[in-house]
Amino acid sequence: MHVDAFNQYHAGESLIHHLDARAKVVVAISFIFSNALLPDGSWVTFTLAWMFLLLANELSGLGLGFTLKRSFVALPFALVAGSAIFSPLGEPLAVWDLGFMTLIPTDAGVRRFFSVLIRSWLSVQMAILLVATTPFPDLIHALEHLRAPRVLTTIIAFLYRYLFILTDEARRLLRARESRSANLSGRKHGGTLWWRAKVTGNMVGQLFIRSYERSDRIYKAMLSRGYAGHLRTLNPHIMRRFDWLILILSLTFLLLVQFLGWIQ
Amino acid sequence: MPVKHQAVHDIRTPLCEGEILQVQDLEFAYPSGYAALRGIDLCIREGERVALVGPNGAGKSTLMLHLNGILGQSKAILIAGLPVIPENYPVIRALVGLVFQNPDDQLFSPTVFEDVAFGPLHMGLSEEEIYQRVEEALAAVQMSEFEDHLCYHLSMGQKKRVAIATVLAMRPKILVLDEPSAGLDPRARRSLIQFLDTLPITMLAATHDMRLVEDLFPRMVIMDEGEIVADGLTSRLMANDSLLKAHGLESSRA
Amino acid sequence: MLFSPTPLHIPDGFLNLVISLLFWALTMAMVGLAISKTNKTLGERQIPLMGVMAAFIFAAQMLNFPVAGGTSGHFLGGALAAIVLGPWAGILTMTAVVAVQGLLFQDGGLLVMGANIFNMGILTAAIGFGLYRAVRNRPRALRLGGIGVAAWLSTIAAALITSLQLWLSGTSRLEIVIPAMLGVHALIGFGEAVITVAAVAFIEQTRPDLLRAENSANGKWGWAVAGMGISLLVVLISPLASAKPDGLERIAEDLGFINAGRSAPYEILPDYTVPLLGETALSTILAGAIGALFVLGILILVGRRMSSRA
Ligand SMILES: Nc1ncnc2c1ncn2[C@@H]1O[C@H](COP(=O)(O)OP(=O)(O)OP(=O)(O)O)[C@@H](O)[C@H]1O
Ligand SMILES: [Mg+2]
């Protein structure tokens, strides 16, 4: 596996790429917040929010369809929302008798179902755009600026740093397992499910110990460079006028969307 | 003749007054009870380059970790005259730059810049000075253009260089390297040797790479089972085949 | 795909604002507590330890094992993290894991991240460590059995609370989502249990000192009581919710939850209006904005306190 499997960042020189990471985080969260706040069935304002997303896509230089292509990760979850169609709160549209239970789709239910899907679909795309235009270390700094607890952001930075190294180690363990999983014809192979799960558990234990020992070595390396329990970070980002401008414009737009959504 | 090292238990005054690194009768056992160091005496003058060799498990890494107090305090070690006790840790950690064997353990920040800045930042320097030191250190290892790169994107040789830069940025008086050439391909290894040769700084390196020892280190210390068994000119010790063989070593020409 | 979205990572849009913010507040309070607790017990070692452990959980989730018909058991890791690291460090570790899954891989949303962390990090830690704490000093067979039950139940509990959140948000019907989620996770939980037990047994054999070191600091019985209490609730609610969803629905309705689920956070303000402006659209919007600002204010205050304590 290539290290870049963990790098969702797409380098670029666009306006969005150069925007301060804090501004981007705030806009993305506000966008998601705004979607959650819009009432069910406010199709016009959902479309406006989508326009906003498309504009951001375009300005990022990644292309209009960039996030669209990657936006279907949440789809399996749509199954879960499917049952909302049968919400008892609206007017019945039909009656489906399945024998063991009777399902009654309602107008409010259908509205709810599609609203949930659209909200989720828009929000996921914004999150995708955020990580595609912001290097992850900058994202962590932005969270620090936005007062996320320092301990947590540092843990996340470590996680990001060692993610690839440990998944690679996990991969090596898997490969070792596979290379010894011989398959003789005429015999039941692979062992029982119980046994397979147990082998996996042993590998997890092995990985744990290796990781633990590594954290010990890292701790020593930190100590030897003057770490004394107090985390310090150097955070060179400054919000420029331009960042503020974009931030305020975006938030104003989202407020407008809310306004339109609620007067309908 | 190799100088056979003997512990000088009866003389309590420093053996080597004024030298930058003085270790006198250092003993250490891990919590498991294993005595990893059994009375180490070692003196290093400013500007000297010393190689530390010996079989696996001899205690080389253990000794190195002691030099800036990672394994706890020890009055048996003086760095520039300062005993290694908690009050002195901040100063000593700035004086002794420890480069670990595996650069993945040493480079724990997401980006190269952040990692090189870690040491200076924790020394409490001003922002300007931090930037200046990071630049300097990366320039010294010829990695300036990698400042914004992610640490996991670097090759092994590049990681080693950055790992050395992380301690150079702290402007140490002594550079302590644990197996600097392990895991490098021949070209990366050669360029590392050339680069280390340009550093005008006291150096102590643990290694199994006898060519590296010959090329870079005029003085050589042999450790085995927690003791220093020989200490002298590299050229002399390398010629002593029976000594090398007795401690699981062989000269680079063998 | 490397990180297939599991049915436990809720995406944005599936929970309404009230539930999302409520669970964010709960999660932030618990995380704040965890930060100050681990600071005391682990001291300066906490940062590298939990950072690498978070990467470990991430990597361990990759080590899925083939079950049948091409599907594979998926490992959650919340119970294991709490057992081997102690509950507070386990919570922080899982918080980082869920945060990165959401931020970097869109596996779980951002606004609902509080709920996701609560379901997969905090609840699993409470059950996982709580039950483990109760059997920690028992004979080996009993201990490992207890760990298995803890891991299985932690998966069930996460599935149960996810279903309840979806239902309270008006996204799913209780009588459909509960049997579906619990059914799937009763199976997934089996894999979780075997892996967790085998991993702990392996660690007990090779480096028993690690388990002792992390747990000595968490010697109190509080966790055992909390863990068993929550487990009991899960055991009681699950069958009730699957068999008699109407009853639960009634309770929620009586408590005013169903309505809260339907509209946004305006319930906080009387009659959804700002008194001076009367019953106009503008008034409703203002009421909504004030409500949202209020919740946001609380969140920011909590956040400030936490970061200053950290
Ligand atoms: N954390 C530890 N706990 C207990 N014993 C240890 C620990 N670390 C090292 N040892 C033991 O101390 C001895 C010295 O180890 P050390 O790592 O210093 O050897 P080394 O000379 O660096 O060897 P190598 O050439 O393999 O790196 C070994 O026998 C080792 O098993
Ligand atoms: Mg060593």
Side-chain angles (χ1 to χ4, degrees):
Chain A
M1 178 182 53
H2 194 256
V3 285
D4 283 328
F6 295 118
N7 201 5
Q8 309 286 308
Y9 176 65
H10 288 64
E13 292 293 321
S14 76
L15 184 150
I16 306 272
H17 281 85
H18 284 299
L19 208 55
D20 186 273
R22 257 165 301 172
K24 277 187 272 191
V25 169
V26 171
V27 171
I29 303 259
S30 307
F31 180 81
I32 295 170
F33 201 90
S34 157
N35 291 338
L37 206 54
L38 283 176
D40 285 353
S42 49
W43 314 122
V44 178
T45 40
F46 282 144
T47 315
L48 275 180
W50 186 39
M51 293 293 159
F52 180 78
L53 181 81
L54 285 180
L55 180 70
N57 255 320
E58 187 51 35
L59 288 179
S60 73
L62 297 170
L64 277 177
F66 177 80
T67 58
L68 184 69
K69 267 180 275 169
R70 296 162 176 74
S71 66
F72 300 104
V73 285
L75 262 194
F77 226 91
L79 280 179
V80 170
S83 62
I85 294 175
F86 314 109
S87 161
L89 296 165
E91 297 296 315
L93 296 175
V95 176
W96 297 338
D97 199 343
L98 302 182
F100 61 96
M101 69 194 301
T102 316
L103 293 176
I104 307 172
T106 61
D107 59 349
V110 171
R111 203 161 53 226
R112 159 124 254 165
F113 174 67
F114 283 107
S115 300
V116 165
L117 284 199
I118 289 174
R119 281 194 197 105
S120 156
W121 180 71
L122 289 174
S123 304
V124 158
Q125 293 195 59
M126 190 48 100
I128 292 172
L129 192 64
L130 175 65
V131 292
T133 58
T134 318
F136 199 71
D138 285 357
L139 209 54
I140 298 174
H141 285 162
L143 293 178
E144 246 159 43
H145 274 297
L146 296 170
R147 315 227 164 239
R150 183 73 62 77
V151 174
L152 211 52
T153 50
T154 317
I155 294 177
I156 291 177
F158 269 101
L159 162 55
Y160 183 67
R161 171 69 183 91
Y162 288 101
L163 193 54
F164 170 67
I165 291 176
L166 292 190
T167 43
D168 219 39
E169 216 149 281
R171 223 153 249 279
R172 280 201 292 273
L173 285 171
L174 276 177
R175 205 172 299 145
R177 177 180 74 180
E178 264 149 40
S179 74
R180 281 186 285 157
S181 302
N183 187 353
L184 295 180
S185 61
R187 293 205 192 174
K188 185 178 175 307
H189 61 88
T192 61
L193 178 62
W194 170 264
W195 183 81
R196 281 202 301 267
K198 205 182 137 209
V199 170
T200 308
N202 286 341
M203 293 192 335
V204 170
Q206 176 89 30
L207 197 62
F208 170 80
I209 289 170
R210 286 191 198 176
S211 310
Y212 193 100
E213 285 168 354
R214 180 182 288 275
S215 83
D216 217 44
R217 294 195 299 271
I218 294 167
Y219 175 56
K220 284 179 182 148
M222 289 172 77
L223 278 185
S224 81
R225 283 201 271 151
Y227 174 72
H230 277 286
L231 280 170
R232 302 179 192 183
T233 50
L234 196 59
N235 227 329
H237 305 272
I238 0 162
M239 288 279 281
R240 295 155 302 167
R241 259 224 199 105
F242 177 72
D243 298 316
W244 282 110
L245 182 71
I246 298 282
L247 178 64
I248 289 167
L249 278 180
S250 309
L251 293 185
T252 313
F253 178 80
L254 290 176
L255 272 180
L256 192 73
V257 166
Q258 283 304 314
F259 183 78
L260 291 175
W262 282 96
I263 54 173
Q264 278 182 346
Chain B
M1 259 301 284
V3 183
K4 185 91 173 104
H5 212 98
Q6 296 206 326
V8 192
H9 295 289
D10 42 354
I11 306 172
R12 277 289 150 196
T13 52
L15 289 167
C16 31
E17 194 94 49
E19 297 193 355
I20 187 136
L21 178 92
Q22 307 167 34
V23 182
Q24 197 183 133
D25 195 21
L26 173 65
E27 305 208 344
F28 176 75
Y30 277 105
S32 64
Y34 181 79
L37 300 179
R38 306 171 187 182
I40 299 283
D41 296 285
L42 182 66
C43 298
I44 295 179
R45 261 180 293 113
E46 188 142 18
E48 218 175 355
R49 287 184 190 160
V50 182
L52 191 58
V53 299
N56 290 136
K60 305 182 292 293
S61 301
T62 308
L63 173 59
M64 296 189 138
L65 288 175
H66 267 95
L67 297 183
N68 62 9
I70 301 296
L71 292 177
Q73 59 177 324
S74 166
K75 293 210 176 72
I77 305 171
L78 297 181
I79 306 289
L82 296 169
V84 180
I85 51 176
E87 297 92 278
N88 292 335
Y89 282 175
V91 185
I92 284 175
R93 284 169 186 171
L95 288 173
V96 180
L98 198 55
V99 182
F100 288 68
Q101 174 177 348
N102 184 348
D104 275 326
D105 296 339
Q106 177 118 14
L107 306 178
F108 43 75
S109 313
T111 67
V112 169
F113 174 85
E114 283 174 275
D115 213 274
V116 180
F118 184 93
L121 194 58
H122 282 79
M123 288 163 76
L125 301 179
S126 73
E127 263 186 47
E128 276 162 70
E129 178 141 27
I130 294 172
Y131 279 99
Q132 190 200 336
R133 286 204 179 190
V134 172
E135 252 166 58
E136 243 177 53
L138 285 176
V141 297
Q142 294 156 15
M143 291 289 291
S144 297
E145 68 269 41
F146 289 86
E147 196 177 278
D148 293 324
H149 280 230
L150 296 176
C151 287
Y152 65 64
H153 274 166
L154 304 175
S155 76
M156 192 63 177
Q158 290 170 334
K159 279 183 191 164
K160 285 256 159 141
R161 283 163 175 269
V162 175
I164 293 171
T166 62
V167 301
L168 288 184
M170 299 173 74
R171 301 224 180 114
K173 286 263 193 256
I174 312 173
L175 188 61
V176 178
L177 303 145
D178 202 348
E179 319 220 353
S181 61
L184 294 184
D185 69 25
R187 185 163 38 137
R189 186 179 151 280
R190 200 159 43 243
S191 82
L192 180 80
I193 291 178
Q194 275 163 8
F195 156 68
L196 287 177
D197 206 15
T198 62
L199 290 180
I201 184 176
T202 314
M203 226 182 270
L204 174 67
T207 185
H208 298 292
D209 180 348
M210 297 310 250
R211 289 254 317 276
L212 175 77
V213 176
E214 283 202 319
D215 290 353
L216 215 51
F217 298 94
R219 180 176 157 200
M220 177 166 134
V221 173
I222 302 180
M223 266 185 91
D224 201 354
E225 300 201 345
E227 289 177 40
I228 289 183
V229 292
D231 180 348
L233 287 179
T234 301
S235 49
R236 295 245 187 94
L237 295 189
M238 284 287 193
N240 188 339
D241 275 335
S242 61
L243 174 73
L244 294 180
K245 202 171 254 172
H247 302 290
L249 302 164
E250 48 189 27
S251 89
S252 59
R253 288 173 304 273
Chain C
M1 203 170 133
L2 188 51
F3 301 102
S4 54
T6 60
L8 289 180
H9 292 82
I10 308 171
D12 276 320
F14 282 75
L15 295 188
N16 71 20
L17 211 51
V18 182
I19 301 288
S20 307
L21 294 183
L22 181 71
F23 276 93
W24 253 124
L26 269 176
T27 295
M28 283 171 93
M30 287 300 278
V31 167
L33 210 56
I35 287 173
S36 67
K37 292 280 185 190
T38 49
N39 211 351
K40 264 186 226 130
T41 54
L42 295 173
E44 42 193 53
R45 241 186 80 63
Q46 66 167 343
I47 298 292
L49 177 66
M50 288 186 288
V52 179
M53 281 308 141
F56 154 72
I57 293 288
F58 222 115
Q61 291 182 342
M62 266 184 56
L63 292 173
N64 49 15
F65 60 102
V67 177
T71 60
S72 54
H74 210 92
F75 183 60
L76 212 66
L80 179 67
I83 289 169
V84 294
L85 298 174
W88 297 114
I91 286 176
L92 286 188
T93 301
M94 289 306 289
T95 300
V97 170
V98 175
V100 170
Q101 281 168 338
L103 276 173
L104 203 53
F105 301 103
Q106 286 79 48
D107 204 1
L110 305 184
L111 193 57
V112 297
M113 191 180 279
N116 280 331
I117 292 172
F118 186 87
N119 303 350
M120 287 181 283
I122 296 174
L123 199 62
T124 51
I127 294 183
F129 185 79
L131 295 190
Y132 171 65
R133 176 67 189 79
V135 299
R136 192 166 76 196
N137 299 318
R138 307 274 147 202
R140 185 181 148 87
L142 193 60
R143 187 173 61 234
L144 292 182
I147 290 171
V149 172
W152 186 77
L153 257 184
S154 72
T155 315
I156 297 287
L160 178 66
I161 192 152
T162 305
S163 315
L164 292 178
Q165 286 160 347
L166 288 167
W167 164 61
L168 287 175
S169 298
T171 306
S172 303
R173 292 295 302 277
L174 197 60
E175 66 267 36
I176 297 173
V177 74
I178 289 258
M181 287 287 268
L182 292 192
V184 169
H185 285 90
L187 274 179
I188 292 182
F190 167 76
E192 182 88 12
V194 181
I195 292 183
T196 305
V197 169
V200 174
F202 185 89
I203 297 164
E204 270 184 359
Q205 247 170 23
T206 37
R207 287 288 304 268
D209 54 311
L210 298 188
L211 287 173
R212 250 178 276 127
E214 300 313 329
N215 286 331
S216 58
N218 304 298
K220 303 219 178 62
W221 273 90
W223 278 101
V225 173
M228 288 192 283
I230 297 173
S231 306
L232 198 67
L233 264 181
V234 172
V235 171
L236 288 179
I237 292 182
S238 302
L240 181 76
S242 340
K244 286 202 166 55
D246 301 347
L248 216 54
E249 202 116 17
R250 168 76 53 72
I251 295 171
E253 215 159 325
D254 289 348
L255 293 174
F257 257 119
I258 290 282
N259 281 323
R262 282 188 65 214
S263 46
Y266 318 126
E267 262 68 7
I268 305 163
L269 295 169
D271 296 333
Y272 325 120
T273 56
V274 179
L276 282 180
L277 291 168
E279 295 257 1
T280 59
L282 185 65
S283 176
T284 314
I285 292 168
L286 263 182
I290 292 171
L293 278 181
F294 180 71
V295 176
L296 204 69
I298 293 177
L299 287 183
I300 288 174
L301 275 182
V302 173
R304 279 257 166 104
R305 296 248 351 233
M306 273 169 23
S307 56
S308 65
R309 221 184 307 153

